[in-house]
Amino acid sequence: MRLLQADYFCSLMPTILAIESSCDDTSAAVLKDGVVRSNLVANQEVHKKYGGVVPELASRAHLQHIVPVVAVALQEAGLSLADVDAVAFTQSPGLIGSLHVGASFAKGLAQAMNKKLIAVHHMQAHVLAHFIEDPKPAFPFLCLTVSGGHTQLVLVHEPLRMEIIGQTLDDAAGEAFDKTAKMLGLPYPGGPLIDKNAQAGNPERFSFPLSQVPGFDFSFSGIKTSILQFLDKQTRLDKEFVVHNLADICASVQHTIIRMLMQKLEQAAIATGVHHIGIAGGVSANSGLRQAVTSLAKRQGWQAYIPRFAYCTDNAAMIGMAAHFKYLEQDFASLDSIPMARSEWV
Ligand code: KG4
Ligand code: ZN
């Protein structure tokens, strides 16, 4: 039986050790009574020279990081394994080798220490990052979830009852940022660097076509191709074009991506009548997108929710938050639950 909304925040008060290892960040967090007591993230520098995440290297780095990251997370929380009620892990989606490291570690710990086990969906956790701190969104809540691999418009009815009402038909918004950065010779991950360079640039200087996709779906493959063709043409005329115009190129590309995202978010909020809106996922760390969501809400008289930076990009605190809600519903995983590279909600 589902708990009433108010009960989510005041019934059982579990202590959860959460582990996130879906891509290239090894993260562990401890939540007590739904409050984050620690949240550690170990980034993997090894991928920088390859211009993207190398799956096999990511799995190996997770193996090296996971024990110290979990130990420090417990230490910073001032708790020991004996205090933990449940161990949570990211089950899906992600790089399969990376997911296996976190899942195997969590399962081993749960079995050895006789703890509950909770399997979490990474994209659902990005949305639930909104419930880590105040102000928490009221339901229903419309969340634009934008990460390296996903772009989704999610209608959230309750913490664990959400539906995807729109998504990308091809590339994710984060991928558009990262691929553009690569074309500009910027290192991986390029999103934050485009954001940084864009701040000194003119967003109206260059224009790129907006994709025309019906409904609430998105498409970002077209903009990638048009940027490639644009850079190709310009650098044939002037070899130093990118160096001399980096800020304006970044500002113009960022502006275009944000317009495509905002257009759909606004349309969906009007069509559904849901005026509590928010953004989540790595791309929600983008300063232009944060500003755009705030302005839209102000213009329309809506309520905007934006998690702080540490809870936008991959982190175990959001896995812990999702696990907290699952714990309250007594939704536990079995030791034979397996990670999946892709899946709808788990
Ligand atoms: O959610 P996340 O940390 O990992 C995935 O689940 O994919 O998202 C990573 C994505 C990358 O594409 C990265 O370039 C992008 O988030 N990103 C940004 C910014 N910070 C991270 N994109 C634009 N502006 C940023 N400030
Ligand atoms: Zn993510």
Side-chain angles (χ1 to χ4, degrees):
M1 191 179 74
R2 282 191 183 282
L3 296 170
L4 294 175
Q5 187 172 323
D7 293 333
Y8 276 107
F9 303 101
C10 65
S11 55
L12 299 163
M13 294 297 178
T15 296
I16 292 170
L17 168 64
I19 293 161
E20 152 62 30
S21 70
S22 64
C23 190
D24 60 337
D25 293 315
T26 317
S27 182
V30 176
L31 278 80
K32 192 168 165 48
D33 309 342
V35 176
V36 176
R37 296 279 291 259
S38 64
N39 180 40
L40 258 92
V41 183
N43 303 116
Q44 301 181 356
E45 297 297 317
V46 66
H47 308 287
K48 278 222 159 90
K49 62 176 176 238
Y50 299 103
V53 178
V54 182
E56 187 53 35
L57 296 180
S59 314
R60 281 189 227 167
H62 282 304
L63 282 170
Q64 288 163 345
H65 293 163
I66 198 154
V67 172
V69 167
V70 167
V72 177
L74 283 165
Q75 194 181 40
E76 282 195 1
L79 296 168
S80 72
L81 273 178
D83 302 311
V84 169
D85 297 302
V87 185
F89 68 99
T90 306
Q91 186 179 21
S92 177
L95 300 173
I96 195 67
S98 294
L99 289 167
H100 266 291
V101 176
S104 307
F105 187 88
K107 284 195 254 179
L109 209 54
Q111 189 169 30
M113 303 291 294
N114 197 24
K115 308 290 183 192
K116 301 279 189 206
L117 185 67
I118 302 177
V120 172
H121 192 282
H122 182 86
M123 299 313 294
Q124 199 165 31
H126 269 306
V127 174
L128 296 175
H130 281 281
F131 296 87
I132 294 175
E133 291 180 320
D134 289 328
K136 295 174 178 117
F139 300 111
F141 161 58
L142 186 61
C143 188
L144 171 68
T145 316
V146 268
S147 71
H150 294 77
T151 300
Q152 300 175 330
L153 267 170
V154 184
L155 187 54
V156 189
H157 302 283
E158 286 175 20
L160 298 175
R161 199 161 66 82
M162 21 182 119
E163 60 180 308
I164 299 167
I165 59 167
Q167 60 190 320
T168 185
L169 302 177
D170 40 54
D171 296 344
E175 211 172 329
F177 273 106
D178 294 338
K179 295 270 164 63
T180 302
K182 199 166 182 179
M183 291 182 230
L184 297 172
L186 300 171
Y188 179 88
L193 294 168
I194 300 245
D195 189 359
K196 194 167 163 219
N197 282 289
Q199 291 179 19
N202 173 5
E204 311 283 350
R205 169 94 186 280
F206 306 112
S207 61
F208 301 101
L210 298 173
S211 60
Q212 304 295 331
V213 182
F216 305 137
D217 288 333
F218 304 85
S219 167
F220 291 99
S221 61
I223 186 173
K224 221 173 54 182
T225 311
S226 68
I227 295 165
L228 184 67
Q229 288 169 345
F230 167 78
L231 292 176
D232 193 43
K233 187 172 158 203
Q234 297 297 332
T235 46
R236 262 189 271 134
L237 299 169
D238 170 11
K239 276 198 164 51
E240 301 293 300
F241 176 79
V242 169
V243 179
H244 294 145
N245 298 282
L246 186 62
D248 288 347
I249 301 169
C250 290
S252 303
V253 169
Q254 180 170 301
H255 179 65
T256 312
I257 295 173
I258 292 172
R259 274 189 66 193
M260 291 198 266
L261 292 170
M262 295 307 298
Q263 219 173 40
K264 298 292 172 136
L265 176 61
E266 184 168 9
Q267 280 171 13
I270 292 170
T272 56
V274 175
H275 297 160
H276 287 261
I277 58 168
I279 48 174
V283 180
S284 67
N286 183 271
S287 57
L289 182 61
R290 295 168 88 86
Q291 216 170 9
V293 173
T294 308
S295 311
L296 168 66
K298 200 167 165 196
R299 176 164 55 82
Q300 293 278 21
W302 299 342
Q303 193 66 43
Y305 300 89
I306 304 174
R308 75 155 114 141
F309 288 111
Y311 301 140
C312 289
T313 45
D314 288 350
N315 67 89
M318 67 182 195
I319 304 300
M321 198 66 238
H324 176 81
F325 290 122
K326 286 195 148 193
Y327 191 102
L328 300 186
E329 291 206 345
Q330 304 281 288
D331 182 357
F332 301 120
S334 71
L335 286 169
D336 56 12
S337 54
I338 46 162
M340 287 167 284
R342 284 171 189 278
S343 79
E344 285 293 318
W345 312 131
V346 291

